[in-house]
Amino acid sequence: MRLELGSILIKDVQPGASQGVSGGVLTVDPAKLQELVLQDERITGVKVEIAKPGESTRITPVKDVIEPRVKVDGGEMFPGMMGKVGTVGSGRTHVLKGVSVLTAGKIVGFQEGIVDMSGPGAEYTPFSKLINICLVLEPAAGLKPHEYEAAARTAGLKAAAYIGEFARTLTPDSVEVFETKPLIKQTQEFPNLPKVGYVYMLQTQGLLHDTYVYGVDAKKIVPTILYPTEVMDGAILSGNCVSACDKNTTYHHQNNPIIRELYSKHGKEINFVGVIITNENVFLMDKERSSDWSSKLAEYLGLDAVIVSQEGFGNPDTDLIMNCKKIELKGIKTVIVTDEYAGRDGKSQSLADADPLADATVTGGNANEVIVLPPMSKIIGMLDFTDKIAGGFDGSLRPDGSIEAEIQVITGATNELGFNRMTAVEL
C-alpha cells in the first residue's frame, strides 16, 4: 500500500461564520459544531471552546483527542465508524496539522485526564503543543457510562471529520509518502536487511476499555496483520477510559511514532515488513490464545526482530510478557515498550509480570511520580471529580485550585508508544 499524507500547517484557530483555512488560520463556526453534535439525542448540551499553547488553561476530564483529516482519495475517514467499511491506507489523506478536536465533559469512568496548556503539567503532554478545539459534552439524564462513552466518541469523530473537510481542496504545505508492498515483494526488495515487524497491543479489557479496528471492538478479533499505512490512515480508533497517562487516544493511533520511526529506517537499516495487531485480555485462556497467535504470525512473516508496545498497566503486563517470551522463543529478537508503576519513590516493582527474556525494554517513565499543577485562570470542563480519577486522591484538589496528584492524571504523560518526553533509568 502507498499512502500520501499531505499536511496543512495550522498556526491559529478562530471562531467565525466563514469557515475554512486561509493563510494557516482555521476558522470554525461553534454554532455549526454544536448543531452537528446535538443531532445525537444522547448529548443534550455542548460547549465549544478553543485552547491554545501557552494559555493559563486547564482542560479536564479529557476523553479523546482526534486529528482532523479528510480522505481525498482511497476511501473514507474513520471507516466502520463514520463511513463505509472500506480499506484505508492508500491514496491521499489531507491532515490539519497542529490542531485537534478534544472531547471533555462529565466523567465517564475514573480513568480520565488533564491537559494543561501551560505550566509544569504542559511539559508532560503533547497536547499542550496543539490548538485544541474542545467539545465539553453534557450527557442526557440516565445515560449509562458505556452509552455516554459511545456518544462522546461519536461526537469527536463527527467534529474531526467535519473540520477535516476544509482541507480537501487545499494544497498541502508538505507531502509525505509511505509504502509497504505485499509480503513477498517486500522481503525481496531488501534481502540483506533484517526483517522487522511491530506487534501493536490494543486495550480491550472489558467495558469502557475498548479499541476499534475498522469499527469492530478489538475484543472480538484474533491477532491479525495490517499494513502500517492502515494504522496511519484511521483504521484504529480509541474508545477506552484507561489511565490518562498511558491511554492511546485516537490522535496517538493516527500518529503512531513507532510506525513512523520504523518507516524512517526502512530500506536503510531495516526492512519494515508490517504490523501485527493483538488484543489485551482479562482471562488467562484468552491471553494464551492471543499471544500464541501474535508469535505465530511473527514467525510466519519471517521476522528477525519485533517491537511490542503495550497500552495500560497491571493486567496487560501479563499479555506484554507473554508476547515477548513467545516471540523470543521463536528465535526473534524482541523489544518491549511500556511504562512503569514503580511507586512514588520509584523503588517498587515496575511491572506486574516479568521474564528473563524481556531483557530489552523501552520505558515511558514512572506514572506514580507526584506533581503539583498550579491553578489556572481558565477551566475547560470541570474540576469536581479531581480527587476521584486515577492518580488523584482525597485532597488532590486544593482550595486555591492547584492539584497535587500522580502524573497518571495527565493525558499522555507516560504513553507506551513513546509519544512523550519521559523515560527512566536504572540506578
Side-chain angles (χ1 to χ4, degrees):
M1 281 190 174
R2 185 179 189 273
L3 175 66
E4 298 179 2
L5 284 180
S7 294
I8 292 92
L9 304 181
I10 301 301
K11 304 171 186 175
D12 194 15
V13 176
Q14 294 291 336
S18 299
Q19 300 189 116
V21 178
S22 178
V25 177
L26 168 65
T27 302
V28 177
D29 187 346
K32 292 286 180 63
L33 285 180
Q34 290 171 331
E35 181 182 351
L36 180 73
V37 172
L38 291 175
Q39 291 173 358
D40 190 335
E41 61 184 14
R42 297 172 296 182
I43 302 295
T44 58
V46 57
K47 189 175 183 180
V48 179
E49 301 199 54
I50 299 170
K52 300 180 181 181
E55 294 180 338
S56 180
T57 299
R58 175 164 294 145
I59 314 166
T60 189
V62 174
K63 304 185 183 309
D64 198 9
V65 187
I66 308 153
E67 187 169 63
R69 297 180 171 194
V70 61
K71 285 297 296 177
V72 177
D73 175 60
E76 297 185 38
M77 210 65 248
F78 310 130
M81 269 303 180
M82 299 300 302
K84 297 177 182 177
V85 190
T87 301
V88 293
S90 62
R92 175 175 277 216
T93 298
H94 284 179
V95 182
L96 292 177
K97 214 70 190 168
V99 66
S100 88
V101 170
L102 185 152
T103 51
K106 286 185 176 179
I107 196 164
V108 171
F110 65 90
Q111 294 174 310
E112 297 179 27
I114 296 171
V115 169
D116 281 357
M117 299 304 293
S118 63
E123 296 302 313
Y124 287 84
T125 175
F127 305 121
S128 64
K129 313 303 185 292
L130 302 178
I131 304 171
N132 298 298
I133 302 169
C134 305
L135 307 180
V136 183
L137 305 167
E138 181 70 32
L143 204 63
K144 295 179 180 179
H146 68 281
E147 295 170 330
Y148 179 21
E149 185 282 319
R153 173 168 24 97
T154 301
L157 295 175
K158 286 172 69 174
Y162 177 80
I163 294 169
E165 278 291 335
F166 303 156
R168 181 177 290 278
T169 60
L170 298 179
T171 300
D173 295 292
S174 63
V175 176
E176 298 174 281
V177 178
F178 303 91
E179 184 174 17
T180 298
K181 296 177 180 177
L183 182 60
I184 294 176
K185 290 183 179 179
Q186 189 61 67
T187 54
Q188 290 175 343
E189 186 172 13
F190 304 109
N192 298 320
L193 294 178
K195 296 182 289 298
V196 177
Y198 173 33
V199 174
Y200 196 178
M201 291 172 54
L202 307 177
Q203 177 57 247
T204 53
Q205 288 189 291
L207 202 61
L208 297 178
H209 290 66
D210 308 317
T211 304
Y212 294 88
V213 181
Y214 284 100
V216 175
D217 187 338
K219 285 191 288 293
K220 301 177 181 179
I221 70 169
V222 291
T224 190
I225 300 167
L226 293 183
Y227 281 94
T229 54
E230 292 180 84
V231 180
M232 304 175 83
D233 209 19
I236 298 177
L237 305 175
S238 176
N240 68 61
C241 299
V242 300
S243 286
C245 64
D246 53 20
K247 171 179 178 172
N248 291 335
T249 67
T250 296
Y251 190 99
H252 286 105
H253 292 301
Q254 292 171 305
N255 295 279
N256 185 303
I258 294 174
I259 290 177
R260 279 188 165 269
E261 184 68 12
L262 288 171
Y263 264 128
S264 74
K265 298 181 182 302
H266 178 59
K268 303 168 187 174
E269 300 176 33
I270 63 169
N271 187 348
F272 182 23
V273 173
V275 176
I276 299 167
I277 59 168
T278 185
N279 43 24
E280 299 174 351
N281 299 284
V282 176
F283 300 109
L284 181 60
M285 179 179 69
D286 298 321
K287 293 177 184 292
E288 293 283 10
R289 179 192 303 112
S290 289
S291 55
D292 283 348
W293 275 63
S294 64
S295 61
K296 175 183 67 176
L297 290 173
E299 180 184 43
Y300 180 68
L301 292 175
L303 300 177
D304 299 304
V306 160
I307 296 175
V308 185
S309 71
Q310 180 184 8
E311 182 177 11
F313 70 99
N315 191 293
D317 293 349
T318 298
D319 301 80
L320 176 69
I321 297 302
M322 280 186 172
N323 282 315
C324 175
K325 180 178 179 180
K326 291 179 182 181
I327 294 170
E328 282 275 352
L329 290 173
K330 298 283 188 183
I332 302 168
K333 297 296 184 182
T334 305
V335 174
I336 61 174
V337 187
T338 181
D339 63 354
E340 303 177 55
Y341 287 75
R344 294 180 182 180
D345 60 1
K347 296 180 180 179
S348 298
Q349 181 173 318
S350 296
L351 299 178
D353 201 353
D355 190 273
L357 291 174
D359 58 359
T361 301
V362 177
T363 172
N366 178 21
N368 296 134
E369 178 186 333
V370 176
I371 190 172
V372 175
L373 304 175
M376 293 284 160
S377 301
K378 181 178 181 181
I379 303 299
I380 296 178
M382 57 217 65
L383 292 174
D384 54 1
F385 66 93
T386 307
D387 295 354
K388 301 181 180 65
I389 61 172
F393 47 86
D394 188 25
S396 277
L397 180 60
R398 296 170 169 179
D400 66 351
S402 62
I403 297 171
E404 180 182 4
E406 296 178 355
I407 62 170
Q408 189 177 169
V409 304
I410 300 174
T411 302
T414 63
N415 181 261
E416 294 163 292
L417 301 177
F419 205 124
N420 62 346
R421 299 173 64 182
M422 292 275 291
T423 189
V425 294
E426 184 178 355
L427 298 177

